[in-house]
Amino acid sequence: MISEKFLMGRGRHELSSEEKQVLEDGIESVRHVAARKQIVRAGDLIETSTLLVEGFVCRYMDDREGQRQLVAVHVPGDFVDLHAFPMKRLDHDIATLGPVKIACFEHRTLQSITERYPHLTQKLWFSTLLDAAMHREWIFRLGRLGAEGRVAHLFCELNARLEMVGMAAEGRYMLPMTQPDLAEASGLTGVHVNRVLRALREKNLLTFKAGEVNILDRKALAAVAEFEPQYLYGSRGD
Amino acid sequence: MISEKFLMGRGRHELSSEEKQVLEDGIESVRHVAARKQIVRAGDLIETSTLLVEGFVCRYMDDREGQRQLVAVHVPGDFVDLHAFPMKRLDHDIATLGPVKIACFEHRTLQSITERYPHLTQKLWFSTLLDAAMHREWIFRLGRLGAEGRVAHLFCELNARLEMVGMAAEGRYMLPMTQPDLAEASGLTGVHVNRVLRALREKNLLTFKAGEVNILDRKALAAVAEFEPQYLYGSRGD
DNA sequence: CATCCGGCATAACCTTTGATATTGATCAGT
DNA sequence: ACTGATCAATATCAAAGGTTATGCCGGATG
């Protein structure tokens, strides 16, 4: 089932099997996109929304000199630009990190879902608010944490989210991001991310090499990150 | 009309007069709350959502030492914690800045609206995604701008939003925030906000005194802030 | 095969911002 | 009228992080 990971691990917000079927039937096409390709440009009028099936994508905004700030990283099961359905256009760009597989939904299909299945609509709505909750956590992360905390927090969040969809275990997961990417997600420079990674490694908290994250001490890392996963609305905190 | 400012100035997303009536009829009560009072605590189960009618409220999260990071500032017309309707509980606290007047909606009323008015539902959904868009802009602001840019951006955003509801004109508006509040919203210390305000004043960009903002040079301030208001989905950029 | 480029690592230096302290003004409560 | 908060303003010093530069490595590309 293409859309099986959508809201997986989200407790009472998971889909019923009927809802899963409605969603699955709404898939218009499944596409593969190579690494490092833009898939939505800010300001475009959008007629379809995409569910991420495999791989990683990010959302970002550029500053005046063209420097990126990532505003979200998406993992399989995320309905990446469902925001575009009520909004009609997006205020940011979306691009792939590694190679991805995506499922496309036409907005008129979603429209008919909202008219016929208020309950499923509410879960779609919920999933966009989960993005908002993650955005808020990133505001906190950038506003209140130092460089080590920011990077640590990102790794903690991705670990928790990937665990929910069965793609991380024992604090290990694959992540197709470079050090400059981490910098763009953390409001830092690439050079400083390098320093921070060294510090985290020397404290035996975490290693990150060749796209592979290995969290050595989850509790200590979470402490550095001030990471408290309630905002992810996972099954445990329900 | 209590709810008249909801989505005011948002172009195609504004409510029709029928939708306005449905919303107005859904108001369960109108309350006044004093300045600096908490109105929602993180983690509480929530049964009502509140539309801000008059005054200012903020949403925030605390770090381990109890320092706040504001994640949003709300102005009249904002449906402050509509997020709580699909989510059932919130991951952050909400408090008033100055004294406020709020309208409360019971979740079962909202539930029946979603079942009977898919079109209005989509506008409610839209309004929560507007919050998400503002969150993203704040991520950008904290991640990519220096102290002056961050503070300038906040003033630009509030100016634009207050203009939409007729509460700012010519770059002037009232804002019941202190310098420490601005610091909490900008990931800075109060001391540094003071330095920044002085710099902005000396450049003849803006004055802020006794809760009164006076933007002297909008264009130059927007340049410092890298402020581009498309993310607010106002009528002009439609 | 040679070259180029991007990513990783590290160093030296400099700018921005935080931490702490002090002072004066204002305002609410007693 | 006094007290105690809180806010604003400012100075000094320290720390965090940015900037620039350089070298190395490995994978893509001609």
Side-chain angles (χ1 to χ4, degrees), chain A residues 33-38 58 68 95-99 176-178 181 184:
Chain A
V33 183
R36 309 277 155 177
K37 297 286 177 211
Q38 197 172 37
C58 64
R68 284 181 180 193
T96 60
L97 288 166
M177 290 177 78
T178 66
D181 291 335
E184 290 176 344

Side-chain angles (χ1 to χ4, degrees), chain A residues 64 68 144 223 226 233, chain B residues 64 68 89 144 223 226:
Chain A
R64 199 179 302 116
R68 284 181 180 193
R144 280 289 162 270
E226 304 199 14
Y233 292 75
Chain B
R64 199 178 302 117
R68 284 182 179 192
R89 60 188 172 80
R144 281 289 162 271
E226 303 201 13

Side-chain angles (χ1 to χ4, degrees), chain B residues 93-161:
Chain B
D93 299 302
I94 303 182
T96 60
L97 288 166
V100 304
K101 178 174 169 187
I102 56 180
C104 304
F105 292 77
E106 305 245 337
H107 284 180
R108 49 185 172 70
T109 309
L110 296 172
Q111 184 68 45
S112 96
I113 287 176
T114 64
E115 280 156 17
R116 287 153 56 196
Y117 306 96
H119 212 262
L120 177 54
T121 304
Q122 220 162 298
K123 287 178 182 177
L124 292 172
W125 188 356
F126 170 82
S127 85
T128 61
L129 297 187
L130 216 40
D131 285 328
M134 291 190 282
H135 289 339
R136 283 191 290 276
E137 191 74 13
W138 280 36
I139 293 173
F140 170 78
R141 178 176 150 255
L142 296 178
R144 281 289 162 271
L145 302 183
E148 276 192 36
R150 291 188 205 173
V151 173
H153 191 288
L154 181 61
F155 285 123
C156 287
E157 178 180 304
L158 287 169
N159 183 59
R161 291 166 63 194

